[in-house]
Amino acid sequence: MRGKRKHNVHEEDFTLKLAIQDTLPVLFFLGSMVVVTFLYPSILFVIGASCSLIAGVTKVIWKFIMALKMGNKKWLSSLFIPFQCVGFSLMLISLIVDRRLIHLEMMWKAVCSFPAGLFFLAGILGMAGMIILAMQFDQSVKSHWKAQWLNMAAQGCFFIGLLLLL
């Protein structure tokens, strides 16, 4: 972790604009969750996606509290990683446990279709970018903005891609 700067997070650094913008990827994820549940009715997937949604909602609430100068409720921010890890793990496990619910050939054909495939590719590239950003994340407001814009674009692309499959 050489060269990684640590920033203390201060309420005055967070604006209402930052908090409001952070709600968009969470809303896109919620929309995607609804569409995927329609296409892939796995209870385990829904539980995992719900955990990931809770992770996003707690982060948004934390940013709103910071922006409204109500203090730094670090415990809210600290819920993000555990809920996100559990959520994505359960979603991945559901692909094994409930694989009978997946029509692999149909799914692959749909995901690779035009134009949905372009949106999925952009979403995947956005998520790869998020992983790269996470390795350099320093808790600065600038890092939060970068992550939010990239996450919003990726989640928006996944949501549009999924809507095109309906």
Side-chain angles (χ1 to χ4, degrees):
M1 300 248 178
R2 278 180 289 163
K4 188 173 180 179
R5 296 180 316 182
K6 290 285 183 187
H7 290 277
N8 290 328
V9 180
H10 302 287
E11 294 174 48
E12 58 272 8
D13 296 334
F14 285 78
T15 64
L16 203 51
K17 186 176 178 182
L18 180 74
I20 291 168
Q21 198 278 336
D22 197 34
T23 61
L24 294 174
V26 174
L27 292 173
F28 286 144
F29 182 83
L30 173 61
S32 294
M33 185 177 135
V34 170
V35 174
V36 169
T37 301
F38 177 74
L39 299 170
Y40 175 57
S42 165
I43 297 300
L44 191 56
F45 184 88
V46 171
I47 293 168
S50 297
C51 287
S52 292
L53 185 63
I54 290 168
V57 168
T58 59
K59 197 71 153 187
V60 167
I61 291 169
W62 174 70
K63 286 181 183 175
F64 269 102
I65 289 171
M66 294 282 283
L68 295 172
K69 314 297 185 236
M70 298 170 66
N72 183 354
K73 311 297 185 211
K74 291 179 185 176
W75 64 271
L76 270 172
S77 177
S78 68
L79 292 174
F80 182 79
I81 297 294
F83 271 93
Q84 196 74 306
C85 290
V86 168
F88 280 107
S89 295
L90 289 174
M91 286 188 283
L92 287 172
I93 291 168
S94 81
L95 297 175
I96 297 164
V97 173
D98 292 330
R99 65 185 172 273
R100 72 190 182 294
L101 299 174
I102 302 171
H103 302 355
L104 203 53
E105 188 178 324
M106 261 179 37
M107 182 194 70
W108 186 249
K109 192 182 268 187
V111 168
C112 292
S113 67
F114 182 81
L118 294 177
F119 285 100
F120 289 123
L121 178 61
I124 290 167
L125 292 174
M127 289 293 105
M130 289 291 293
I131 292 168
I132 292 166
L133 276 181
M135 289 186 251
Q136 303 167 351
F137 201 78
D138 62 10
Q139 288 299 330
S140 67
V141 173
K142 184 178 179 180
S143 288
H144 279 277
W145 272 110
K146 282 183 196 175
Q148 282 180 205
W149 280 107
L150 189 53
N151 192 24
M152 182 183 68
Q155 294 299 330
C157 285
F158 280 127
F159 183 49
I160 292 168
L162 285 165
L163 288 175
L164 290 170
L165 298 182
L166 295 179

